[in-house]
Amino acid sequence: MPVGLGGTRQRATLGFLMMHANRVVASSQLIDALWPAGRAPQSARKILQNSVWRLRRALPLGDGEFTGVRLQSQAPGYMLCAEPDQIDLYHFRRLARCGHAELAAGAPRAAAVLLREALALWRGPVLADLVETGIDWPELASVQNARLDALEDFFEAELACGHHHRVLAELERTVATEVLRERLLGQLMLALYRSGRQTDALDVYAGARAAMAERLGLEPGHALQALQQAVLTHDPALIPVGIREQIEVRMTGSAREPARAVAAARPAAPSPAEIPAGPPPEAERRVRPETRPERSETRPERPETRPEPVEDEAAARPVPRTMVAERKEVSVLIARVQLMPDAAGVDPQRMDEAVEQVAATIRGEVECLGGTVAASIGPISLVLFGVPEAADDDAERAVHAALTIRDQLTRIADPGEPHADCTRGVSVQVAVATGEALVRYQPDRSGVPPTVNGALLDECHTLLSDTRAGEIRVCDNTRRSTGFAITYQHGSPSSGWTVGGFRQEYTALHAVPVIDREYDLDVLRGLLQRSRHQATPHLVTVLGEPGVGKTRFVMEFERRVAANADTVRLVVGRVRPGGGAHPLEALHDLLLACCGILQGDRVEMMTAKLTATVRRLKASEEDCRWMLSCLAPLVDPAAAQAPPDEMLTASREFLGAVAASTPLVLVFEDLHWADQALVDFVENLTASQAGLPIFVIVTAGPELLKRRPEWGEGSLNRLTITLEPISDAAIDRLLEFLMSTTEGGAKNSVGGLLEALLESGGREPDARRHQLRRILASGSASLRYERCSGGGGLQAAAPECTPRLSGHAYG
């Protein structure tokens, strides 16, 4: 009897409870199932309670076919009580288990009956009406896989009964949608072969092999390979025993003896029952197919083929880390960097140092933007974006990295003349291509670097060959994906497009107001005022997931500090993945920024600025000499290196002396990537600066607390701010503000850019919010690049910002 359940929320609530029948489902679990992650409204629990109330009114629980069904409240949520056979899913699972047991016991006819009854309960995808509304529960995939397992058991049972003609059509339809399930493929090959279609059976194998190589970079399992060989050689074991005996009676007039028939029934190749649903484990792949355990206890074993020695040997070998191979959307960047010394007698040591500097620069800039250096051979570097996790802005970050690499490397001086014009010593060509490619990688980003193969790599190489020195050329896919942020010059889909630079509107995205953060900004401002007026050191840690807006938050604070009339010196350093060129690179940048050292200053100029700053801060000549001896290697690599502990002590005293003259704000971005020594230094910095107005801000991901669970605890004047994703309501307010902003009756540059970008999101609120969040994250990435590299875009948009090396200072 059909029953009207009401809206989607009620149907989803009942569906989820039915999938967990006779178990208590927590209210929080139901809320996570009914709303996307992080989007549940404040009134979610009330809505859930109303849905349960309406369900109780709609369902005649306890009457008729609902006898024994109860929907009851039980802490911490609700439970749907019902007999298993009253829910089709549980009835199906019981029949499928019984059918599988009969099949394993060597009773294929009984198994086929039970499995046919189980599969007859299916009338389409699970909860199809809810799936159409966007519901995507992991439980649905599990149920679908259970149906496929039962279907495979059914096909096996029918094949064992000799009913290959009966299941052939359904096997072909199923394999068309499940092209990577090897057990199904083997069953289809066997059915085709027994139907006299040997060529078609081999075509199935060839198509499966091509699909696996293209999508996964894998060969079919040993069992499927052995089945192919059996088809090629017309192995008699592929014909069921009963049918083979009938053939022998017709041809010879007599059947084999029972013992011989049993021995002949032993297949040289694995039966479809032995073909796994997915790729076999590594240890199992090393065992010959004919030595795998039999599923039927009635089949005799041959002692000479027992696999124990092989399995023991495989188990004794170390298991290598798993490399994932898949075909996915990536952006490939290839850079060719050639050093061009003038003189014939260039110092080889200086040349090697320059090569190392080039490699470190490329790696640092790429990792800063979330890419991975896959290979570096001579002047060629291969970089991947979108591995292991793909993102909407992979192409954008790839072009971003190309611009950064080109601009940074053109500042490297000629190795033969350390102080020569920095634009003469290096030739840089970069190409970027975006599309599908076969990629192999380790999901944890450790160990072997990823690799890429396919036409996309060839396309990128072709683009590079057409690229002149100083140019960046991209494919048409990349241009279409990044046109909102990057300007392009002459080009075509066939020859690629030449990158011009960032659009003015794109670099102006830092002007977008910071939303949902005013309270936290007020807290920071209040603590800074307290640090200044009471001469008290403070450590504030800003935690948040990647993309939550830590960079924008800190930059807004910096901008407000810069606009304040009170004198405060603020310096910023960013920790790069892997520590950058040096484990203490971020600290070095802060120290140099305090001295007013600019990007491009020569060694003599940097040494003079460092010396003048130290002498201004330290009255004692002995203290000056000691501090300069410890800090001099920061500006002159040829200077004698001080012990690390002594250099850190000198750095601590130097920063204390700066704070004693002017209140000092230090910002360490992405400290979770820092070396242990730098983390220790930052954590203990404020504790060693009692009585000084030094204000330390740290931004980090959750990884910092995994490394240091006690971070920020047990000490005075320490605060941790955790940034949550910006709420939908705040995003909607910002969107309304931006779209209503006009300048002379027309949209301003930022509003116009946003309007054009948001058009691709359609009119659905969730899509537009997602698009705006992506735009804001893109703006953060650009600002980070501009600030770290000392580019001019940020200075034009915010004149009060003065870039300093990898950090900058306000004062």
Side-chain angles (χ1 to χ4, degrees):
M1 177 183 67
V3 177
L5 299 177
T8 302
R9 206 77 67 194
Q10 286 89 262
R11 300 201 310 275
T13 301
L14 180 60
F16 198 78
L17 289 170
M18 289 175 66
M19 297 188 74
H20 300 80
N22 299 315
R23 285 182 288 172
V24 177
V25 180
S27 297
S28 58
Q29 189 178 359
L30 274 167
I31 290 172
D32 290 341
L34 298 178
W35 285 276
R39 296 185 182 178
Q42 296 284 347
S43 57
R45 288 185 179 272
K46 186 65 176 176
I47 295 173
L48 175 60
Q49 292 170 359
N50 291 336
S51 297
V52 172
W53 178 77
R54 291 191 181 96
L55 281 174
R56 285 173 174 155
R57 293 190 61 186
L59 292 173
L61 300 180
D63 297 332
E65 60 183 290
F66 292 96
T67 301
V69 179
R70 302 185 310 279
L71 178 52
Q72 60 188 42
S73 300
Q74 184 170 332
Y78 303 94
M79 180 168 66
L80 182 70
C81 302
E83 293 296 327
D85 281 352
Q86 290 181 289
I87 300 177
D88 285 347
L89 176 60
Y90 293 89
H91 187 36
F92 159 77
R93 285 174 172 167
R94 183 181 63 80
L95 291 171
R97 281 196 302 269
C98 293
H100 182 79
E102 291 287 348
L103 185 63
R109 293 185 184 278
V113 172
L114 289 168
L115 292 166
R116 188 183 296 112
E117 184 181 351
L119 293 168
L121 294 172
W122 285 76
R123 293 181 291 275
V126 187
L127 302 180
D129 59 328
L130 297 178
V131 173
E132 289 296 322
T133 66
I135 291 293
D136 186 19
W137 299 329
E139 292 86 350
L140 298 179
S142 174
V143 173
Q144 181 63 23
N145 286 330
R147 176 184 177 274
L148 289 172
D149 291 340
L151 192 59
E152 288 173 341
D153 283 347
F154 172 70
F155 290 145
E156 182 182 332
E158 291 284 58
L159 288 171
C161 296
H163 300 158
H164 44 274
H165 288 293
R166 185 181 298 176
V167 297
L168 180 56
E170 189 174 0
L171 261 171
E172 289 178 316
R173 288 195 300 270
T174 307
V175 168
T177 58
E178 301 292 338
V179 294
L180 299 180
R181 290 184 73 105
E182 295 195 21
R183 190 180 177 196
L184 278 173
L185 291 165
Q187 290 169 339
L188 176 58
M189 290 175 62
L190 192 57
L192 289 168
Y193 179 80
R194 290 179 179 177
S195 302
R197 297 167 59 183
Q198 178 192 7
T199 303
D200 291 339
L202 294 174
D203 286 344
V204 169
Y205 177 84
R209 183 185 182 192
M212 291 179 187
E214 180 75 8
R215 299 188 187 186
L216 306 176
L218 298 174
E219 287 287 323
H222 287 302
L224 204 59
Q225 293 182 35
L227 181 59
Q228 182 221 18
Q229 290 300 316
V231 172
L232 287 169
T233 58
H234 295 279
D235 195 316
L238 298 180
I239 305 298
V241 177
I243 297 178
R244 188 161 57 247
E245 288 178 348
Q246 295 175 19
I247 294 173
E248 289 180 0
V249 168
R250 292 175 183 174
M251 296 183 65
T252 66
S254 63
R256 296 186 183 183
E257 297 177 4
R260 293 176 59 197
V262 171
R266 169 74 176 170
S271 71
E274 296 173 303
I275 298 177
E282 286 298 323
E284 191 174 339
R285 290 182 189 174
R286 288 190 283 266
V287 182
R288 296 196 306 271
E290 63 271 26
T291 65
R292 295 183 61 185
E294 301 296 336
R295 293 187 58 170
S296 173
E297 296 178 358
T298 63
R299 297 178 180 174
E301 282 191 347
R302 291 186 294 183
E304 65 272 19
T305 61
R306 289 179 182 173
E308 284 82 358
V310 181
E311 288 185 344
D312 291 343
E313 179 185 353
R317 298 175 186 168
V319 179
R321 292 189 177 187
T322 303
M323 290 287 287
V324 175
E326 63 176 313
R327 188 168 182 81
K328 60 185 303 184
E329 184 93 4
V330 294
S331 288
V332 176
L333 180 154
I334 302 179
R336 179 189 289 123
V337 182
Q338 295 175 305
L339 300 174
M340 300 182 297
D342 291 337
V346 174
D347 184 356
Q349 182 176 352
R350 286 191 177 276
M351 179 66 76
D352 291 343
E353 290 174 355
V355 171
E356 288 296 323
Q357 186 179 359
V358 166
T361 299
I362 292 176
R363 186 173 299 278
E365 299 302 337
V366 164
E367 291 178 347
C368 174
L369 287 160
T372 303
V373 177
S376 182
I377 303 176
I380 301 294
S381 294
L382 172 65
V383 177
L384 299 180
F385 287 86
V387 180
E389 298 90 9
D392 293 339
D393 60 346
D394 286 333
E396 177 189 340
R397 287 185 290 112
V399 179
H400 198 154
L403 286 163
T404 312
I405 290 169
R406 183 191 64 183
D407 295 345
Q408 289 285 56
L409 292 182
T410 52
R411 298 187 178 96
I412 296 178
D414 190 314
E417 300 178 30
H419 310 306
D421 182 357
C422 61
T423 62
R424 291 187 351 218
V426 66
S427 168
V428 183
Q429 301 157 270
V430 189
V432 179
T434 301
E436 281 197 349
L438 179 61
V439 184
R440 294 180 177 85
Y441 62 91
Q442 290 185 348
D444 58 358
R445 289 180 176 265
S446 61
V448 182
T451 63
V452 61
N453 288 298
L456 184 66
L457 193 61
D458 295 337
E459 181 180 7
C460 198
H461 274 293
T462 302
L463 287 172
L464 188 68
S465 64
D466 294 336
T467 304
R468 295 180 295 181
E471 276 188 351
I472 301 169
R473 193 175 287 261
V474 307
C475 71
D476 199 48
N477 282 345
T478 305
R479 180 191 65 86
R480 288 197 301 268
S481 299
T482 60
F484 71 92
I486 308 295
T487 61
Y488 290 98
Q489 299 169 3
H490 55 278
S492 68
S494 59
S495 62
W497 303 78
T498 303
V499 174
F502 287 107
R503 293 186 181 276
Q504 286 186 341
E505 306 96 307
Y506 183 76
T507 56
L509 280 174
H510 77 285
V512 172
V514 174
I515 54 176
D516 255 16
R517 308 294 193 212
E518 282 301 327
Y519 172 77
D520 296 320
L521 287 168
D522 288 341
V523 170
L524 276 186
R525 285 200 301 270
L527 290 176
L528 176 58
Q529 292 301 319
R530 179 182 177 186
S531 178
R532 290 180 61 250
H533 292 298
Q534 297 183 6
T536 306
H538 281 76
L539 171 62
V540 179
T541 306
V542 181
L543 293 176
E545 297 286 347
V548 79
K550 299 186 295 295
T551 297
R552 295 184 64 84
F553 176 76
V554 172
M555 290 194 70
E556 178 64 20
F557 175 72
E558 297 167 16
R559 190 157 40 241
R560 298 185 185 193
V561 170
N564 198 310
D566 297 328
T567 302
V568 174
R569 175 171 288 274
L570 186 150
V571 289
V572 181
R574 182 173 182 272
V575 181
R576 298 174 183 273
H582 189 281
L584 300 176
E585 181 181 8
L587 175 59
H588 296 171
D589 293 339
L590 293 180
L591 297 173
L592 299 183
C594 288
C595 301
I597 294 175
L598 301 174
Q599 181 115 24
D601 280 350
R602 298 179 179 178
V603 173
E604 294 84 353
M605 178 63 71
M606 290 192 290
T607 302
K609 289 183 178 181
L610 174 64
T611 302
T613 303
V614 170
R615 293 193 179 281
R616 186 174 70 251
L617 298 174
K618 289 289 184 181
S620 166
E621 183 63 27
E622 182 178 355
D623 289 346
C624 286
R625 285 198 300 271
W626 169 77
M627 187 170 287
L628 286 172
S629 68
C630 295
L631 302 182
L634 301 182
V635 296
D636 186 3
Q641 298 287 328
D645 290 345
E646 197 167 347
M647 194 277 292
L648 289 173
T649 301
S651 300
R652 191 177 296 110
E653 289 196 16
F654 176 85
L655 293 174
V658 173
S661 63
T662 306
L664 180 63
V665 179
L666 301 173
V667 179
F668 291 89
E669 287 199 70
D670 294 333
L671 192 67
H672 56 277
W673 280 329
D675 179 81
Q676 196 69 21
L678 181 57
V679 175
D680 291 338
F681 178 88
V682 175
E683 186 175 24
N684 299 321
L685 182 58
T686 54
S688 63
Q689 305 290 354
L692 292 175
I694 185 167
F695 192 73
V696 180
I697 301 176
V698 168
T699 71
E703 299 90 335
L704 179 63
L705 295 186
K706 294 178 182 178
R707 293 175 57 183
R708 294 289 183 87
E710 73 286 354
W711 177 268
E713 297 178 359
S715 301
L716 295 174
N717 303 325
R718 295 193 177 190
L719 174 69
T720 298
I721 296 175
T722 301
L723 296 185
E724 299 294 338
I726 299 174
S727 67
D728 287 349
I731 286 288
D732 291 341
R733 291 197 304 272
L734 177 59
L735 186 60
E736 183 179 358
F737 165 76
L738 292 172
M739 293 300 98
S740 64
T741 302
T742 57
E743 182 178 352
K747 300 287 184 186
N748 65 11
S749 60
V750 177
L753 172 64
L754 288 169
E755 185 176 33
L757 291 175
L758 289 169
E759 287 178 0
S760 61
R763 291 295 170 183
E764 289 295 325
D766 286 346
R768 292 173 69 83
R769 291 171 189 142
H770 171 77
Q771 188 77 324
L772 181 54
R773 283 190 171 95
R774 179 197 165 192
I775 296 168
L776 295 177
S778 301
S780 295
S782 299
L783 295 173
R784 174 177 289 173
Y785 157 69
E786 295 292 349
R787 186 172 65 189
C788 292
S789 66
L794 181 59
Q795 295 184 68
E800 71 274 11
C801 303
T802 307
R804 302 282 194 264
L805 296 162
S806 292
H808 64 274
Y810 304 117

